[in-house]
Amino acid sequence: MNQPGGPAGGDLTAARLLLRRIRTVMARNLPAQRRLEEIVRTIAGAMVAEVCSVYVLRAGEVLELFATEGLKAEAVHHTRLRVGEGLVGDIASHVRPLALADAQHHPQFAYRPETGEELYQSFMGVPVLRGGRMIGVLVVQNRTRRHYTEEEVETLETVAMVVAELVAGGELVGREELSPISGIGVLPERLDAQALAPGLALGTAILHQPDITLTQLVAEDPLREIDRLDDAMTAMKLALDELLTENDGGGGGEHREVLDTYRMLAEDRGWANRIIEAIETGLTAEAAVQKVQNDMRARMREIQDPYLRERLADLDDLNNRLLRHLLGMQELPQARDLPEFAIIVARNMGPAELLDYDRRRLKGVVLEEGTASSHVAIVARALDIPLLGHCQNLMDKVQAGDSLVLDGDNEQVFLRPSEDILQVFATSMNARAARQETYAADRNLPAVTKDGVTVDLMINAGLLMDVPQLAATGAAGIGLYRTEVTFMVAPTFPDVARQRDVYGRVLDGAEGKQVIFRTLDIGSDKILPYWQRDVEENPAMGWRALRISLDRPAMLRQQLRAMILAAAGRALHVMFPMVAEVDEFDDAKGILDLELQRAEAKGQVLPASVRVGAMFEVPALYWQMEEALDRVDFLSIGSNDLAQFVFAADRGNAQLQGRYDTLSPAFLRLIGDIIKAGQRRGKPVSLCGEMAGDPLDAMALLALGLRTLSMAPPAIGPIRAMIRSLDMGQLQAHLAALGAQRGVDLRSSLRAFARDHGVALP
Ligand code: PEP
Ligand code: MG
């Protein structure tokens, strides 16, 4: 390896030779410390470096010098650096390599006199990783200023994989010290999280540990390893096809799209080529897969872009799958025998990994990472598996076998909960299950009050997979189809054909029931991953919804064109969000008219009827009510945004939650006025914000005269039950009597009314 012309790290044969030498050292019957010393000597020689050292992570987040060639021997087991301290600590904290020609002038350089390292100017270090965790740092140093090549960094990373096996062997430091769970508690703990798929779950923690320990890292015959890789790839793809076909549900939709994208990733040549390159350096096929996986994980730590992170998470999942095939372990070992109530705990997961688990036993999932648009969340929602994400420090706090409560309603996780908490949740889950059964059984009963007032209950939807909820809940239609959700889960901006397909399938699935398509409502908290936007100081009051559509008319035209094509021969309902001035509605409707004319000119089949509405979300519309009602075919009150603007209270700010009540006189007076104005002009008014799905709020809205409410599908059952047990006349009389009194807390009063009059509330 010490060829003329300098270090030979970039040469494939050289890397292979180095690995072979290290394998000989590993095979020798020596204590681990001695083998480590031999290894650093071998690396220093092969890489023509004066220094090679290994630092090992000890308890308390400290990196201890364990072996060195070139630094002073007395520093071994004495020199210690905190994670984050010095260049070594920097590599450990960022979990990424560092190569510097002039290390001593780097701001992170921390001089340790006992090592004698002042002699060495250049420095290259890589993290020692095992199972995705940093367990040490491997360093080489040179006396002269020199630039290390990318290939040399790669070689050092490859060698670090072997060092990792030695460190993790348990001889150098106890295994418990290397365990990811340090200082773990046994006490109950509550962690905040985000509900990414709704629901409650209770069960035993199963750590999703796809990481596999490899024993064979170095191989003699790269061609044989490439053959093994090919076989494993083929087997993996076949098994994956089977798994995805089984779970396709036949329905299609975004859930299917996510899984198809995943399947396409498995065909990615770039991924396979990188593994082959690693094999050519002398690694076994499985070690090569792990090396590529380590590189990807390092990249993932740096990437903020949610779309790219999702793709890398999918690839991480594929790497694990391929590893299992290479090692002849077709299934996730822990997926085979789940306890009866299992809760999967993971840092992150790919969508297909979720499908590996036995659905009858899997009760919930909690992730340290994950976002609402992450693929695993989309699949979890489709399968109705409660999933909480964004749970900080989860992996450091939970141990396999811990009992867990996932409380999606309050976005929290209870770790090792006390008996009391377990009891409370078990009771509430049983009650919930019983209620769900009743709601399902009653789904075809009409939503009519005891005194004969009929109410139209509609669902809010945003994904194709929501559409079957129409039949499941017995709702009368889709009162709000949030078209932006399709845009948010797609990898790129959906074109007309793609949009037409989605809208067409929504209409097909609705089987003649009314569907109100709301045009794109992006901006504010609804971000498209592929669309870079400027940071706004007040995004909720910023460039969003109809404002964007009017400023980018091509986008709106495409969307309306797709809706017209999809509706062909059927009724089309279009609704514009965030109308602040009637002119905006006119402009948007003008674009719709143009698209209709265009469709007619092209001889397309037009929609059977077209109704155009506006969302009442911006208070300014109140003072243009008559003009607005003249123009629209219908109005839908978006109480979420309307309340945020009426009370000047950010709807996403947790500190303001509950501060202003939607049942306050000011807000109800406003809603009452809108309803009355609609009645005067004979224009239908409905409400599609969260209020519609809250039984107490809904009682007040019905008393004010609303007869159409659109809500999240799970709210339909409770609202129908409330309506069927309500006497509208009595309620209106009760509220009229209250109207004369001052300082009444309407929420408490409605609750008391419900209790006294047998109105069913959950
Ligand atoms: C609303 O603002 O009430 C509404 C229904 O729209 P979104 O929640 O999608 O903003
Ligand atoms: Mg809104």
Side-chain angles (χ1 to χ4, degrees):
M1 174 126 332
N2 295 340
Q3 297 153 340
D11 186 305
L12 274 185
T13 346
R16 211 177 297 155
L17 263 174
L18 171 55
L19 274 182
R20 193 181 297 165
R21 283 193 212 163
I22 289 178
R23 189 169 54 161
T24 318
V25 176
M26 289 290 278
R28 285 173 63 190
N29 192 12
L30 290 173
Q33 176 69 35
R34 282 288 313 286
R35 273 185 284 158
L36 195 61
E37 286 159 12
E38 284 288 322
I39 284 177
V40 291
R41 194 167 308 136
T42 310
I43 299 172
M47 300 197 79
V48 200
E50 282 87 17
V51 175
C52 176
S53 316
V54 175
Y55 296 80
V56 174
L57 183 69
R58 308 290 319 250
E61 301 283 278
V62 169
L63 293 150
E64 179 178 315
L65 180 64
F66 256 64
T68 184
E69 169 72 10
L71 297 184
K72 289 184 186 160
E74 53 270 33
V76 172
H77 296 305
H78 284 110
T79 294
R80 292 175 142 225
L81 293 153
R82 276 177 287 105
V83 170
E85 185 189 9
L87 298 174
V88 169
D90 190 66
I91 292 168
S93 63
H94 289 94
V95 201
R96 53 142 167 69
L98 198 61
L100 302 166
D102 178 12
Q104 302 199 4
H105 290 99
H106 189 278
Q108 278 287 347
F109 184 76
Y111 175 53
R112 288 304 166 89
E114 74 274 14
T115 61
E117 66 181 329
E118 65 277 13
L119 299 174
Y120 307 102
Q121 304 214 39
S122 31
F123 172 104
M124 166 169 68
V126 297
V128 176
L129 297 171
R130 193 149 190 285
R133 299 190 76 86
M134 184 279 301
I135 57 168
V137 174
L138 176 63
V139 170
V140 294
Q141 289 171 276
N142 279 79
R143 204 181 277 266
T144 53
R145 279 193 193 185
R146 56 158 309 220
H147 291 278
Y148 297 100
T149 63
E150 244 175 64
E151 287 81 359
E152 284 172 309
V153 175
E154 288 257 328
T155 302
L156 201 62
E157 281 179 325
T158 307
V159 179
M161 291 179 66
V162 185
V163 173
E165 292 313 306
L166 192 57
V167 173
E171 250 188 89
L172 293 168
V173 287
R175 284 211 176 87
E176 61 298 340
E177 222 178 295
L178 292 172
S179 152
I181 299 154
S182 47
I184 193 151
V186 286
L187 296 173
E189 212 170 323
R190 195 197 67 83
L191 305 173
D192 287 320
Q194 275 176 15
L196 307 182
L200 296 182
L202 199 151
T204 307
I206 302 296
L207 298 189
H208 174 68
Q209 279 173 321
D211 290 318
I212 293 164
T213 310
L214 304 182
T215 44
Q216 279 295 98
L217 293 164
V218 186
E220 275 304 314
D221 181 359
L223 288 179
R224 187 176 162 269
E225 295 305 306
I226 292 173
D227 279 348
R228 287 186 59 224
L229 177 72
D230 281 347
D231 291 348
M233 277 271 190
T234 310
M236 179 197 77
K237 284 178 201 165
L238 277 176
L240 198 58
D241 270 344
E242 228 169 80
L243 179 79
L244 300 188
T245 314
E246 255 171 47
N247 287 282
D248 169 347
E254 289 78 4
H255 161 218
R256 170 74 188 275
E257 193 163 284
V258 162
L259 296 177
D260 277 348
T261 321
Y262 179 87
R263 202 192 317 239
M264 263 153 50
L265 270 184
E267 300 293 338
D268 188 275
R269 272 325 292 168
W271 175 50
N273 287 342
R274 290 179 62 194
I275 301 172
I276 291 172
E277 273 168 28
I279 291 178
E280 283 169 348
T281 67
L283 292 176
T284 56
E286 53 270 30
V289 175
Q290 209 164 65
K291 162 105 186 12
V292 169
Q293 183 171 36
N294 284 343
D295 294 347
M296 283 180 185
R297 285 179 176 174
R299 275 184 58 205
M300 200 140 98
R301 284 186 192 96
E302 314 242 300
I303 289 177
Q304 294 303 324
D305 182 274
Y307 170 68
L308 287 178
R309 283 184 69 89
E310 257 330 294
R311 284 286 166 280
L312 284 171
D314 289 356
L315 271 169
D316 199 57
D317 179 355
L318 279 171
N319 276 314
N320 288 325
R321 217 163 269 280
L322 184 56
L323 270 180
R324 291 203 297 276
H325 278 275
L326 276 163
L327 298 173
M329 321 160 37
Q330 261 59 325
E331 290 178 34
L332 271 181
Q334 72 273 29
R336 253 177 260 154
D337 40 19
L338 287 184
E340 205 175 332
F341 291 88
I343 293 191
I344 305 302
V345 177
R347 188 172 303 283
N348 208 343
M349 257 173 128
E353 279 177 309
L354 193 59
L355 307 178
D356 285 329
Y357 289 96
D358 178 349
R359 201 92 44 81
R360 284 158 308 169
R361 293 173 171 243
L362 172 61
K363 301 297 176 219
V365 180
V366 53
L367 303 177
E368 186 160 314
E369 299 177 0
T371 58
S373 59
S374 61
H375 296 164
V376 64
I378 291 169
V379 174
R381 285 197 291 271
L383 303 179
D384 206 13
I385 300 170
L387 184 148
L388 286 165
H390 231 293
C391 186
Q392 279 182 6
N393 301 325
L394 172 74
M395 300 308 285
D396 291 339
K397 298 200 172 206
V398 72
Q399 282 190 87
D402 277 347
S403 65
L404 282 180
V405 169
L406 308 190
D407 174 9
D409 291 353
N410 300 298
E411 306 201 293
Q412 56 186 347
V413 175
F414 291 94
L415 265 187
R416 303 173 286 273
S418 63
E419 258 317 299
D420 298 352
I421 297 226
L422 276 176
Q423 269 308 325
V424 169
F425 276 92
T427 312
S428 125
M429 280 175 65
N430 289 340
R432 188 180 286 232
R435 274 201 308 270
Q436 291 306 336
E437 272 175 36
T438 320
Y439 297 147
D442 290 352
R443 69 181 179 279
N444 292 323
L445 298 180
V448 182
T449 63
K450 289 207 292 198
D451 49 348
V453 179
T454 301
V455 182
D456 275 340
L457 299 183
M458 318 272 273
I459 59 166
N460 295 344
L463 286 170
L464 277 171
M465 67 175 83
D466 297 329
V467 179
Q469 288 297 321
L470 271 177
T473 59
I478 300 181
L480 167 65
Y481 191 87
R482 293 179 160 108
T483 58
E484 61 275 6
V485 184
T486 301
F487 288 71
M488 287 161 74
V489 300
T492 53
F493 212 93
D495 60 11
V496 174
R498 168 78 189 117
Q499 291 188 54
R500 171 204 183 158
D501 179 49
V502 173
Y503 307 147
R505 292 199 340 212
V506 173
L507 290 170
D508 295 345
E511 294 176 335
K513 287 183 178 176
Q514 188 187 78
V515 177
I516 300 179
F517 288 110
R518 175 174 76 182
T519 62
L520 210 53
D521 182 13
I522 49 171
S524 192
D525 58 333
K526 295 171 189 157
I527 307 295
L528 305 184
Y530 42 84
W531 196 11
Q532 296 296 337
R533 306 191 42 211
D534 294 338
V535 175
E536 293 179 86
E537 269 197 32
N538 276 311
M541 293 197 281
W543 197 50
R544 56 173 289 203
L546 190 58
R547 299 165 186 181
I548 297 183
S549 298
L550 291 177
D551 289 352
R552 297 279 181 276
M555 241 164 62
L556 182 60
R557 288 186 72 148
Q558 285 188 7
Q559 198 176 22
L560 296 171
R561 194 172 301 165
M563 286 176 189
I564 293 167
L565 282 166
R570 300 184 274 198
L572 174 63
H573 291 79
V574 179
M575 177 160 76
F576 297 116
M578 285 282 290
V579 176
E581 295 197 324
V582 286
D583 285 357
E584 291 170 334
F585 179 83
D586 289 342
D587 291 347
K589 178 146 187 302
I591 294 178
L592 174 62
D593 290 339
L594 276 180
E595 282 304 317
L596 284 166
Q597 286 161 19
R598 181 181 181 273
E600 193 171 11
K602 293 186 101 184
Q604 286 168 11
V605 184
L606 294 180
S609 60
V610 181
R611 310 235 134 244
V612 194
M615 287 196 72
F616 199 122
E617 299 184 281
V618 182
L621 213 53
Y622 181 76
W623 293 278
Q624 307 164 70
M625 191 95 81
E626 303 302 318
E627 298 95 310
L629 285 166
D630 274 348
R631 290 161 162 86
V632 299
D633 293 316
F634 61 91
L635 273 184
S636 186
I637 303 173
S639 54
N640 306 337
D641 274 312
L642 186 59
Q644 109 166 318
F645 297 129
V646 166
F647 294 114
D650 181 352
R651 67 192 253 194
N653 185 334
Q655 261 177 310
L656 301 180
Q657 292 294 312
R659 189 175 187 108
Y660 301 101
D661 195 346
T662 39
L663 290 185
S664 72
F667 201 57
L668 290 184
R669 230 170 264 160
L670 172 60
I671 292 182
D673 283 356
I674 303 169
I675 297 169
K676 273 186 240 132
Q679 287 166 346
R680 274 199 309 273
R681 295 266 168 163
K683 295 282 169 78
V685 176
S686 61
L687 186 141
C688 60
E690 292 300 308
M691 281 183 88
D694 178 292
L696 286 181
D697 284 4
M699 276 168 73
L701 295 171
L702 296 175
L704 287 174
L706 270 187
R707 293 295 173 262
T708 307
L709 298 173
S710 193
M711 63 202 76
I716 296 274
I719 296 289
R720 178 187 285 114
M722 178 275 285
I723 291 171
R724 291 179 56 80
S725 56
L726 174 72
D727 185 311
M728 185 74 85
Q730 278 180 355
L731 174 63
Q732 281 172 329
H734 173 78
L735 291 178
L738 279 184
Q741 297 172 29
R742 295 177 140 261
V744 179
D745 171 358
L746 188 55
R747 198 164 285 281
S748 314
S749 170
L750 282 173
R751 203 173 284 117
F753 173 89
R755 196 184 49 233
D756 298 346
H757 295 81
V759 179
L761 295 183

